[in-house]
Amino acid sequence: MTSNAAKSSKAASCLTAANYKPYLNFRSFVDALRREGDLVDINASVDSDGEVGAVTRKVYETREKAPLFNNVRGSRNGLLRILGAPGGLRKKGPGQFGRVAMHFGLPSDATERDIVNKMLSVKFNEPILPRVVETGPCKETVIKGDDIDLTKLPIPQLHGLDGGRYIQSYGMHILQTPDKSWTNWSIARAMVHSKNELTGLVAPTQHIGIIHNQWKQQGQDTPWALAFGVPPIAIAVSGMPIPANVDESGYVGALAGAPVDVVKCETNDLYVPATSEIVLEGTISATETAPEGPMGEMFGLLFPGKTRPQPIFHVNAITYREGAILPIAVAGRAPEETHTITGVLASAAIIEVCQRHGLPVNFAWVSWETHSVWGAIQVDTKKLRGMNISPQDFCRKIGDVVWGSHAADAVSRLVIVGDDIDPTNFDDVLWAHVTRCRPGQDEYVFENIKGFTLMPYMSHGPGDPIQGGRVVADCLFIEQYTQDDFVFTQASFDKGYSEETRALVNAGWKTKYGFGQ
């Protein structure tokens, strides 16, 4: 082990000012959460074998502050502290998406619409590629060879019945094609297999699997790095459905308005964010596999004993900064990061692909309440009538466009709503669905397209586990397709009374009527 802590000031001097912003620097992000009163420093000794995971799970479910475990039993040589729920929701109400908003450089009181619009604001911008620096905080300590022993680190058991210790739940895989034309940043789970090995999901259809297969075809292992505590805006984008052969790093730079500072790995030619908390370097084996799983999933279920062979990741070096923090996402019942951040990314992608294909879509929102399975699409009904299209043809077109792209792999139900429904308000969407979508007649099932195999009704249902399992639910009245003069109103306080009457009632709510005392 080599300590470069004395070189910390040099590492810091290499960074641009922008790379100290909370959305470009994970440590600054943690400090910002603390300043906002949205972080709890837990200095009491905690056990990585269940306790850390259980606390984090309860944090999600009660919408508590993010826990920073500063005293994890078994930590050694500065490895490691743990931050739980980095993208969890705050208490219900304005600012509940505060942690997510901060990932994108927005104020913590930003709304869901603000975050999606931020994602869409740079779709025509030129990419801003990373800036290579000589060194960075992630190089403060370097471990290589026989000094590496992942089994001696307090890697958390995230769920009680997980098949292993999942070190990778909120880190960023970094791979590059053999011809160096495409560098991919992505998220896929991985667990500790031995002192210097991981095993994790490498799905053939995902970008990590596509690049891995290119190296396999050449008979070579895949150069690889896994960075933890990367710039929050980078970890968010690494889960975004960006097309193949497009570098996420350039999009991150455009979104941040500044390049991400990166530094070369110790043992291969990949570059990692210089401010990363922890970096694993090595290769993904072209031939070796090991049993992986099970793990508690984003749909809130775990199937004990279910494993599958996945490639082995060989770890040849570990680099980290002083007081290194491992961020974790404990998947399960909503809301957690695969619902909050992933839902935001899918929402923006649905809007972009629909508008690019000329569909009259105002907005879309993939709701965390449905575990990011329902995508509500708000349609401009005036423009819809101008298309002179039947409900069946329109719904089929929406489904073909969305699921024919990489926009919303996990979304299995698209809910088409009109101008009067706020797609970010799940109560609105559910009300529209139960009152305007006739079962069977207003539902258009898609069985001849690729499904989402992690969905429990796919993996453990009676149908094909790979194909289908998707539906478009039409929550528009038939008249909204054809009649400009079709009028209806909601029988609700906000929509069913004049502005004057509502103002009168609101003014007297406490003083005149005695409510809310």
Side-chain angles (χ1 to χ4, degrees), residues 114-148:
D114 293 333
I115 302 169
V116 172
N117 288 334
K118 170 74 172 180
M119 300 295 298
L120 294 170
S121 68
V122 299
K123 63 182 179 180
F124 298 118
N125 291 18
E126 288 295 317
I128 298 178
L129 299 179
R131 172 179 172 265
V132 176
V133 296
E134 180 183 350
T135 188
C138 69
K139 298 289 190 179
E140 289 174 359
T141 300
V142 178
I143 305 174
K144 294 181 180 178
D146 291 340
D147 289 335
I148 296 171

PDB file of all heavy atoms in Angstrom, residues 114-148:
ATOM      1  N   ASP A 114     -38.982  20.685 -12.825  1.00  0.00           N
ATOM      2  CA  ASP A 114     -37.719  21.409 -12.955  1.00  0.00           C
ATOM      3  C   ASP A 114     -36.576  20.457 -13.302  1.00  0.00           C
ATOM      4  O   ASP A 114     -35.718  20.765 -14.142  1.00  0.00           O
ATOM      5  CB  ASP A 114     -37.375  22.135 -11.650  1.00  0.00           C
ATOM      6  CG  ASP A 114     -38.341  23.266 -11.323  1.00  0.00           C
ATOM      7  OD1 ASP A 114     -38.928  23.831 -12.264  1.00  0.00           O
ATOM      8  OD2 ASP A 114     -38.495  23.577 -10.121  1.00  0.00           O
ATOM      9  N   ILE A 115     -36.566  19.301 -12.647  1.00  0.00           N
ATOM     10  CA  ILE A 115     -35.474  18.349 -12.860  1.00  0.00           C
ATOM     11  C   ILE A 115     -35.540  17.773 -14.271  1.00  0.00           C
ATOM     12  O   ILE A 115     -34.521  17.692 -14.974  1.00  0.00           O
ATOM     13  CB  ILE A 115     -35.514  17.219 -11.805  1.00  0.00           C
ATOM     14  CG1 ILE A 115     -35.437  17.806 -10.392  1.00  0.00           C
ATOM     15  CG2 ILE A 115     -34.358  16.253 -12.025  1.00  0.00           C
ATOM     16  CD1 ILE A 115     -35.720  16.804  -9.287  1.00  0.00           C
ATOM     17  N   VAL A 116     -36.730  17.369 -14.701  1.00  0.00           N
ATOM     18  CA  VAL A 116     -36.877  16.822 -16.051  1.00  0.00           C
ATOM     19  C   VAL A 116     -36.517  17.874 -17.095  1.00  0.00           C
ATOM     20  O   VAL A 116     -35.810  17.589 -18.078  1.00  0.00           O
ATOM     21  CB  VAL A 116     -38.310  16.299 -16.269  1.00  0.00           C
ATOM     22  CG1 VAL A 116     -38.522  15.908 -17.725  1.00  0.00           C
ATOM     23  CG2 VAL A 116     -38.586  15.102 -15.364  1.00  0.00           C
ATOM     24  N   ASN A 117     -36.978  19.108 -16.893  1.00  0.00           N
ATOM     25  CA  ASN A 117     -36.672  20.168 -17.853  1.00  0.00           C
ATOM     26  C   ASN A 117     -35.177  20.466 -17.902  1.00  0.00           C
ATOM     27  O   ASN A 117     -34.652  20.841 -18.958  1.00  0.00           O
ATOM     28  CB  ASN A 117     -37.465  21.431 -17.511  1.00  0.00           C
ATOM     29  CG  ASN A 117     -38.945  21.285 -17.834  1.00  0.00           C
ATOM     30  OD1 ASN A 117     -39.326  20.508 -18.712  1.00  0.00           O
ATOM     31  ND2 ASN A 117     -39.786  22.013 -17.122  1.00  0.00           N
ATOM     32  N   LYS A 118     -34.492  20.312 -16.779  1.00  0.00           N
ATOM     33  CA  LYS A 118     -33.035  20.457 -16.773  1.00  0.00           C
ATOM     34  C   LYS A 118     -32.399  19.413 -17.677  1.00  0.00           C
ATOM     35  O   LYS A 118     -31.484  19.716 -18.466  1.00  0.00           O
ATOM     36  CB  LYS A 118     -32.511  20.318 -15.338  1.00  0.00           C
ATOM     37  CG  LYS A 118     -31.000  20.203 -15.209  1.00  0.00           C
ATOM     38  CD  LYS A 118     -30.294  21.506 -15.437  1.00  0.00           C
ATOM     39  CE  LYS A 118     -28.809  21.401 -15.105  1.00  0.00           C
ATOM     40  NZ  LYS A 118     -28.076  22.660 -15.309  1.00  0.00           N
ATOM     41  N   MET A 119     -32.877  18.178 -17.585  1.00  0.00           N
ATOM     42  CA  MET A 119     -32.351  17.114 -18.431  1.00  0.00           C
ATOM     43  C   MET A 119     -32.571  17.424 -19.916  1.00  0.00           C
ATOM     44  O   MET A 119     -31.705  17.182 -20.753  1.00  0.00           O
ATOM     45  CB  MET A 119     -33.034  15.786 -18.099  1.00  0.00           C
ATOM     46  CG  MET A 119     -32.869  15.318 -16.670  1.00  0.00           C
ATOM     47  SD  MET A 119     -31.173  14.929 -16.255  1.00  0.00           S
ATOM     48  CE  MET A 119     -30.854  13.595 -17.382  1.00  0.00           C
ATOM     49  N   LEU A 120     -33.737  17.979 -20.230  1.00  0.00           N
ATOM     50  CA  LEU A 120     -34.076  18.254 -21.626  1.00  0.00           C
ATOM     51  C   LEU A 120     -33.409  19.513 -22.156  1.00  0.00           C
ATOM     52  O   LEU A 120     -33.300  19.691 -23.375  1.00  0.00           O
ATOM     53  CB  LEU A 120     -35.591  18.397 -21.765  1.00  0.00           C
ATOM     54  CG  LEU A 120     -36.426  17.136 -21.488  1.00  0.00           C
ATOM     55  CD1 LEU A 120     -37.906  17.483 -21.430  1.00  0.00           C
ATOM     56  CD2 LEU A 120     -36.159  16.073 -22.542  1.00  0.00           C
ATOM     57  N   SER A 121     -32.926  20.366 -21.266  1.00  0.00           N
ATOM     58  CA  SER A 121     -32.424  21.675 -21.683  1.00  0.00           C
ATOM     59  C   SER A 121     -31.149  21.602 -22.514  1.00  0.00           C
ATOM     60  O   SER A 121     -30.808  22.560 -23.212  1.00  0.00           O
ATOM     61  CB  SER A 121     -32.175  22.555 -20.450  1.00  0.00           C
ATOM     62  OG  SER A 121     -31.092  22.045 -19.674  1.00  0.00           O
ATOM     63  N   VAL A 122     -30.436  20.481 -22.447  1.00  0.00           N
ATOM     64  CA  VAL A 122     -29.150  20.402 -23.150  1.00  0.00           C
ATOM     65  C   VAL A 122     -29.178  19.402 -24.305  1.00  0.00           C
ATOM     66  O   VAL A 122     -28.126  19.029 -24.828  1.00  0.00           O
ATOM     67  CB  VAL A 122     -28.009  20.028 -22.175  1.00  0.00           C
ATOM     68  CG1 VAL A 122     -27.865  21.092 -21.098  1.00  0.00           C
ATOM     69  CG2 VAL A 122     -28.239  18.658 -21.544  1.00  0.00           C
ATOM     70  N   LYS A 123     -30.387  18.978 -24.708  1.00  0.00           N
ATOM     71  CA  LYS A 123     -30.442  17.911 -25.713  1.00  0.00           C
ATOM     72  C   LYS A 123     -29.843  18.328 -27.049  1.00  0.00           C
ATOM     73  O   LYS A 123     -29.443  17.473 -27.849  1.00  0.00           O
ATOM     74  CB  LYS A 123     -31.877  17.411 -25.886  1.00  0.00           C
ATOM     75  CG  LYS A 123     -32.869  18.428 -26.406  1.00  0.00           C
ATOM     76  CD  LYS A 123     -34.265  17.806 -26.490  1.00  0.00           C
ATOM     77  CE  LYS A 123     -35.302  18.790 -26.980  1.00  0.00           C
ATOM     78  NZ  LYS A 123     -36.654  18.187 -27.055  1.00  0.00           N
ATOM     79  N   PHE A 124     -29.763  19.634 -27.319  1.00  0.00           N
ATOM     80  CA  PHE A 124     -29.166  20.094 -28.569  1.00  0.00           C
ATOM     81  C   PHE A 124     -27.776  20.698 -28.359  1.00  0.00           C
ATOM     82  O   PHE A 124     -27.158  21.197 -29.297  1.00  0.00           O
ATOM     83  CB  PHE A 124     -30.076  21.116 -29.253  1.00  0.00           C
ATOM     84  CG  PHE A 124     -31.427  20.566 -29.633  1.00  0.00           C
ATOM     85  CD1 PHE A 124     -32.590  21.096 -29.087  1.00  0.00           C
ATOM     86  CD2 PHE A 124     -31.537  19.499 -30.518  1.00  0.00           C
ATOM     87  CE1 PHE A 124     -33.830  20.585 -29.421  1.00  0.00           C
ATOM     88  CE2 PHE A 124     -32.777  18.978 -30.854  1.00  0.00           C
ATOM     89  CZ  PHE A 124     -33.925  19.526 -30.311  1.00  0.00           C
ATOM     90  N   ASN A 125     -27.284  20.669 -27.122  1.00  0.00           N
ATOM     91  CA  ASN A 125     -25.977  21.244 -26.828  1.00  0.00           C
ATOM     92  C   ASN A 125     -24.842  20.324 -27.274  1.00  0.00           C
ATOM     93  O   ASN A 125     -24.997  19.100 -27.323  1.00  0.00           O
ATOM     94  CB  ASN A 125     -25.832  21.511 -25.333  1.00  0.00           C
ATOM     95  CG  ASN A 125     -26.735  22.631 -24.848  1.00  0.00           C
ATOM     96  OD1 ASN A 125     -27.691  22.997 -25.519  1.00  0.00           O
ATOM     97  ND2 ASN A 125     -26.450  23.169 -23.676  1.00  0.00           N
ATOM     98  N   GLU A 126     -23.720  20.947 -27.566  1.00  0.00           N
ATOM     99  CA  GLU A 126     -22.532  20.164 -27.876  1.00  0.00           C
ATOM    100  C   GLU A 126     -22.010  19.505 -26.598  1.00  0.00           C
ATOM    101  O   GLU A 126     -22.052  20.106 -25.513  1.00  0.00           O
ATOM    102  CB  GLU A 126     -21.439  21.059 -28.463  1.00  0.00           C
ATOM    103  CG  GLU A 126     -21.716  21.535 -29.877  1.00  0.00           C
ATOM    104  CD  GLU A 126     -21.734  20.374 -30.873  1.00  0.00           C
ATOM    105  OE1 GLU A 126     -20.851  19.497 -30.781  1.00  0.00           O
ATOM    106  OE2 GLU A 126     -22.634  20.347 -31.730  1.00  0.00           O
ATOM    107  N   PRO A 127     -21.502  18.270 -26.688  1.00  0.00           N
ATOM    108  CA  PRO A 127     -20.938  17.632 -25.495  1.00  0.00           C
ATOM    109  C   PRO A 127     -19.700  18.374 -25.003  1.00  0.00           C
ATOM    110  O   PRO A 127     -18.972  18.973 -25.801  1.00  0.00           O
ATOM    111  CB  PRO A 127     -20.587  16.219 -25.977  1.00  0.00           C
ATOM    112  CG  PRO A 127     -20.493  16.321 -27.459  1.00  0.00           C
ATOM    113  CD  PRO A 127     -21.435  17.395 -27.877  1.00  0.00           C
ATOM    114  N   ILE A 128     -19.505  18.353 -23.708  1.00  0.00           N
ATOM    115  CA  ILE A 128     -18.286  18.902 -23.104  1.00  0.00           C
ATOM    116  C   ILE A 128     -17.500  17.725 -22.545  1.00  0.00           C
ATOM    117  O   ILE A 128     -17.900  17.108 -21.555  1.00  0.00           O
ATOM    118  CB  ILE A 128     -18.614  19.919 -21.997  1.00  0.00           C
ATOM    119  CG1 ILE A 128     -19.396  21.110 -22.579  1.00  0.00           C
ATOM    120  CG2 ILE A 128     -17.339  20.412 -21.326  1.00  0.00           C
ATOM    121  CD1 ILE A 128     -19.819  22.144 -21.545  1.00  0.00           C
ATOM    122  N   LEU A 129     -16.418  17.388 -23.202  1.00  0.00           N
ATOM    123  CA  LEU A 129     -15.655  16.189 -22.856  1.00  0.00           C
ATOM    124  C   LEU A 129     -14.850  16.396 -21.576  1.00  0.00           C
ATOM    125  O   LEU A 129     -14.544  17.529 -21.195  1.00  0.00           O
ATOM    126  CB  LEU A 129     -14.734  15.815 -24.011  1.00  0.00           C
ATOM    127  CG  LEU A 129     -15.456  15.491 -25.336  1.00  0.00           C
ATOM    128  CD1 LEU A 129     -14.436  15.166 -26.420  1.00  0.00           C
ATOM    129  CD2 LEU A 129     -16.429  14.339 -25.155  1.00  0.00           C
ATOM    130  N   PRO A 130     -14.479  15.308 -20.898  1.00  0.00           N
ATOM    131  CA  PRO A 130     -13.714  15.429 -19.654  1.00  0.00           C
ATOM    132  C   PRO A 130     -12.363  16.118 -19.865  1.00  0.00           C
ATOM    133  O   PRO A 130     -11.815  16.139 -20.972  1.00  0.00           O
ATOM    134  CB  PRO A 130     -13.523  13.969 -19.223  1.00  0.00           C
ATOM    135  CG  PRO A 130     -14.607  13.214 -19.895  1.00  0.00           C
ATOM    136  CD  PRO A 130     -14.838  13.904 -21.198  1.00  0.00           C
ATOM    137  N   ARG A 131     -11.860  16.648 -18.784  1.00  0.00           N
ATOM    138  CA  ARG A 131     -10.550  17.305 -18.769  1.00  0.00           C
ATOM    139  C   ARG A 131      -9.576  16.410 -18.009  1.00  0.00           C
ATOM    140  O   ARG A 131      -9.828  16.049 -16.859  1.00  0.00           O
ATOM    141  CB  ARG A 131     -10.675  18.671 -18.088  1.00  0.00           C
ATOM    142  CG  ARG A 131      -9.374  19.390 -17.821  1.00  0.00           C
ATOM    143  CD  ARG A 131      -9.675  20.742 -17.160  1.00  0.00           C
ATOM    144  NE  ARG A 131      -8.472  21.416 -16.713  1.00  0.00           N
ATOM    145  CZ  ARG A 131      -7.983  21.338 -15.469  1.00  0.00           C
ATOM    146  NH1 ARG A 131      -8.591  20.579 -14.561  1.00  0.00           N
ATOM    147  NH2 ARG A 131      -6.885  21.991 -15.132  1.00  0.00           N
ATOM    148  N   VAL A 132      -8.497  16.018 -18.652  1.00  0.00           N
ATOM    149  CA  VAL A 132      -7.507  15.138 -18.025  1.00  0.00           C
ATOM    150  C   VAL A 132      -6.596  15.964 -17.113  1.00  0.00           C
ATOM    151  O   VAL A 132      -6.059  17.004 -17.520  1.00  0.00           O
ATOM    152  CB  VAL A 132      -6.669  14.407 -19.089  1.00  0.00           C
ATOM    153  CG1 VAL A 132      -5.587  13.567 -18.422  1.00  0.00           C
ATOM    154  CG2 VAL A 132      -7.571  13.541 -19.968  1.00  0.00           C
ATOM    155  N   VAL A 133      -6.461  15.496 -15.874  1.00  0.00           N
ATOM    156  CA  VAL A 133      -5.571  16.150 -14.914  1.00  0.00           C
ATOM    157  C   VAL A 133      -4.496  15.160 -14.469  1.00  0.00           C
ATOM    158  O   VAL A 133      -4.624  13.947 -14.646  1.00  0.00           O
ATOM    159  CB  VAL A 133      -6.352  16.689 -13.694  1.00  0.00           C
ATOM    160  CG1 VAL A 133      -7.327  17.776 -14.129  1.00  0.00           C
ATOM    161  CG2 VAL A 133      -7.100  15.572 -12.977  1.00  0.00           C
ATOM    162  N   GLU A 134      -3.437  15.695 -13.898  1.00  0.00           N
ATOM    163  CA  GLU A 134      -2.294  14.860 -13.537  1.00  0.00           C
ATOM    164  C   GLU A 134      -2.609  13.906 -12.399  1.00  0.00           C
ATOM    165  O   GLU A 134      -2.202  12.740 -12.401  1.00  0.00           O
ATOM    166  CB  GLU A 134      -1.108  15.765 -13.161  1.00  0.00           C
ATOM    167  CG  GLU A 134       0.149  15.003 -12.773  1.00  0.00           C
ATOM    168  CD  GLU A 134       1.276  15.923 -12.347  1.00  0.00           C
ATOM    169  OE1 GLU A 134       1.151  17.154 -12.525  1.00  0.00           O
ATOM    170  OE2 GLU A 134       2.290  15.412 -11.830  1.00  0.00           O
ATOM    171  N   THR A 135      -3.317  14.409 -11.407  1.00  0.00           N
ATOM    172  CA  THR A 135      -3.677  13.587 -10.258  1.00  0.00           C
ATOM    173  C   THR A 135      -4.958  14.135  -9.645  1.00  0.00           C
ATOM    174  O   THR A 135      -5.529  15.108 -10.135  1.00  0.00           O
ATOM    175  CB  THR A 135      -2.541  13.554  -9.217  1.00  0.00           C
ATOM    176  OG1 THR A 135      -2.853  12.585  -8.208  1.00  0.00           O
ATOM    177  CG2 THR A 135      -2.308  14.916  -8.589  1.00  0.00           C
ATOM    178  N   GLY A 136      -5.419  13.479  -8.588  1.00  0.00           N
ATOM    179  CA  GLY A 136      -6.653  13.909  -7.950  1.00  0.00           C
ATOM    180  C   GLY A 136      -6.810  13.256  -6.593  1.00  0.00           C
ATOM    181  O   GLY A 136      -6.020  12.368  -6.219  1.00  0.00           O
ATOM    182  N   PRO A 137      -7.823  13.657  -5.821  1.00  0.00           N
ATOM    183  CA  PRO A 137      -8.016  13.086  -4.489  1.00  0.00           C
ATOM    184  C   PRO A 137      -8.122  11.572  -4.479  1.00  0.00           C
ATOM    185  O   PRO A 137      -7.736  10.924  -3.490  1.00  0.00           O
ATOM    186  CB  PRO A 137      -9.331  13.735  -4.034  1.00  0.00           C
ATOM    187  CG  PRO A 137      -9.383  15.036  -4.767  1.00  0.00           C
ATOM    188  CD  PRO A 137      -8.781  14.748  -6.110  1.00  0.00           C
ATOM    189  N   CYS A 138      -8.638  10.969  -5.554  1.00  0.00           N
ATOM    190  CA  CYS A 138      -8.799   9.512  -5.566  1.00  0.00           C
ATOM    191  C   CYS A 138      -7.461   8.779  -5.559  1.00  0.00           C
ATOM    192  O   CYS A 138      -7.432   7.552  -5.391  1.00  0.00           O
ATOM    193  CB  CYS A 138      -9.633   9.064  -6.754  1.00  0.00           C
ATOM    194  SG  CYS A 138      -8.844   9.257  -8.366  1.00  0.00           S
ATOM    195  N   LYS A 139      -6.351   9.499  -5.721  1.00  0.00           N
ATOM    196  CA  LYS A 139      -5.030   8.868  -5.759  1.00  0.00           C
ATOM    197  C   LYS A 139      -4.283   8.988  -4.425  1.00  0.00           C
ATOM    198  O   LYS A 139      -3.097   8.640  -4.348  1.00  0.00           O
ATOM    199  CB  LYS A 139      -4.185   9.530  -6.852  1.00  0.00           C
ATOM    200  CG  LYS A 139      -4.731   9.380  -8.268  1.00  0.00           C
ATOM    201  CD  LYS A 139      -4.595   7.967  -8.783  1.00  0.00           C
ATOM    202  CE  LYS A 139      -4.915   7.892 -10.269  1.00  0.00           C
ATOM    203  NZ  LYS A 139      -4.760   6.515 -10.787  1.00  0.00           N
ATOM    204  N   GLU A 140      -4.965   9.438  -3.378  1.00  0.00           N
ATOM    205  CA  GLU A 140      -4.264   9.683  -2.123  1.00  0.00           C
ATOM    206  C   GLU A 140      -3.674   8.411  -1.521  1.00  0.00           C
ATOM    207  O   GLU A 140      -2.625   8.437  -0.886  1.00  0.00           O
ATOM    208  CB  GLU A 140      -5.189  10.398  -1.133  1.00  0.00           C
ATOM    209  CG  GLU A 140      -5.440  11.851  -1.542  1.00  0.00           C
ATOM    210  CD  GLU A 140      -6.468  12.555  -0.683  1.00  0.00           C
ATOM    211  OE1 GLU A 140      -7.021  11.917   0.247  1.00  0.00           O
ATOM    212  OE2 GLU A 140      -6.741  13.737  -0.941  1.00  0.00           O
ATOM    213  N   THR A 141      -4.348   7.285  -1.724  1.00  0.00           N
ATOM    214  CA  THR A 141      -3.798   5.994  -1.296  1.00  0.00           C
ATOM    215  C   THR A 141      -3.988   4.990  -2.425  1.00  0.00           C
ATOM    216  O   THR A 141      -5.053   4.950  -3.053  1.00  0.00           O
ATOM    217  CB  THR A 141      -4.487   5.482  -0.021  1.00  0.00           C
ATOM    218  OG1 THR A 141      -4.301   6.427   1.037  1.00  0.00           O
ATOM    219  CG2 THR A 141      -3.912   4.136   0.408  1.00  0.00           C
ATOM    220  N   VAL A 142      -2.949   4.184  -2.667  1.00  0.00           N
ATOM    221  CA  VAL A 142      -2.979   3.187  -3.742  1.00  0.00           C
ATOM    222  C   VAL A 142      -2.644   1.822  -3.157  1.00  0.00           C
ATOM    223  O   VAL A 142      -1.654   1.672  -2.433  1.00  0.00           O
ATOM    224  CB  VAL A 142      -1.972   3.536  -4.864  1.00  0.00           C
ATOM    225  CG1 VAL A 142      -1.990   2.463  -5.947  1.00  0.00           C
ATOM    226  CG2 VAL A 142      -2.291   4.906  -5.453  1.00  0.00           C
ATOM    227  N   ILE A 143      -3.468   0.817  -3.444  1.00  0.00           N
ATOM    228  CA  ILE A 143      -3.223  -0.562  -3.013  1.00  0.00           C
ATOM    229  C   ILE A 143      -3.154  -1.434  -4.260  1.00  0.00           C
ATOM    230  O   ILE A 143      -4.010  -1.347  -5.141  1.00  0.00           O
ATOM    231  CB  ILE A 143      -4.356  -1.086  -2.100  1.00  0.00           C
ATOM    232  CG1 ILE A 143      -4.573  -0.156  -0.911  1.00  0.00           C
ATOM    233  CG2 ILE A 143      -4.056  -2.493  -1.623  1.00  0.00           C
ATOM    234  CD1 ILE A 143      -5.768  -0.545  -0.051  1.00  0.00           C
ATOM    235  N   LYS A 144      -2.149  -2.305  -4.319  1.00  0.00           N
ATOM    236  CA  LYS A 144      -2.013  -3.198  -5.470  1.00  0.00           C
ATOM    237  C   LYS A 144      -1.650  -4.614  -5.007  1.00  0.00           C
ATOM    238  O   LYS A 144      -1.214  -4.817  -3.877  1.00  0.00           O
ATOM    239  CB  LYS A 144      -0.925  -2.688  -6.428  1.00  0.00           C
ATOM    240  CG  LYS A 144      -1.224  -1.380  -7.114  1.00  0.00           C
ATOM    241  CD  LYS A 144      -0.082  -0.981  -8.070  1.00  0.00           C
ATOM    242  CE  LYS A 144      -0.361   0.326  -8.771  1.00  0.00           C
ATOM    243  NZ  LYS A 144       0.775   0.732  -9.662  1.00  0.00           N
ATOM    244  N   GLY A 145      -1.825  -5.550  -5.917  1.00  0.00           N
ATOM    245  CA  GLY A 145      -1.333  -6.913  -5.728  1.00  0.00           C
ATOM    246  C   GLY A 145      -1.852  -7.597  -4.489  1.00  0.00           C
ATOM    247  O   GLY A 145      -3.052  -7.577  -4.182  1.00  0.00           O
ATOM    248  N   ASP A 146      -0.945  -8.222  -3.746  1.00  0.00           N
ATOM    249  CA  ASP A 146      -1.324  -9.028  -2.584  1.00  0.00           C
ATOM    250  C   ASP A 146      -1.878  -8.210  -1.435  1.00  0.00           C
ATOM    251  O   ASP A 146      -2.440  -8.776  -0.484  1.00  0.00           O
ATOM    252  CB  ASP A 146      -0.111  -9.831  -2.097  1.00  0.00           C
ATOM    253  CG  ASP A 146       0.297 -10.923  -3.084  1.00  0.00           C
ATOM    254  OD1 ASP A 146      -0.560 -11.303  -3.912  1.00  0.00           O
ATOM    255  OD2 ASP A 146       1.458 -11.363  -3.040  1.00  0.00           O
ATOM    256  N   ASP A 147      -1.724  -6.895  -1.462  1.00  0.00           N
ATOM    257  CA  ASP A 147      -2.267  -6.058  -0.397  1.00  0.00           C
ATOM    258  C   ASP A 147      -3.785  -5.907  -0.510  1.00  0.00           C
ATOM    259  O   ASP A 147      -4.433  -5.418   0.413  1.00  0.00           O
ATOM    260  CB  ASP A 147      -1.622  -4.665  -0.440  1.00  0.00           C
ATOM    261  CG  ASP A 147      -0.161  -4.689   0.003  1.00  0.00           C
ATOM    262  OD1 ASP A 147       0.199  -5.602   0.767  1.00  0.00           O
ATOM    263  OD2 ASP A 147       0.606  -3.809  -0.431  1.00  0.00           O
ATOM    264  N   ILE A 148      -4.343  -6.313  -1.644  1.00  0.00           N
ATOM    265  CA  ILE A 148      -5.793  -6.199  -1.848  1.00  0.00           C
ATOM    266  C   ILE A 148      -6.507  -7.367  -1.166  1.00  0.00           C
ATOM    267  O   ILE A 148      -6.161  -8.528  -1.393  1.00  0.00           O
ATOM    268  CB  ILE A 148      -6.135  -6.198  -3.350  1.00  0.00           C
ATOM    269  CG1 ILE A 148      -5.534  -4.975  -4.038  1.00  0.00           C
ATOM    270  CG2 ILE A 148      -7.643  -6.240  -3.570  1.00  0.00           C
ATOM    271  CD1 ILE A 148      -5.653  -5.008  -5.542  1.00  0.00           C
TER     272      ILE A 148
END
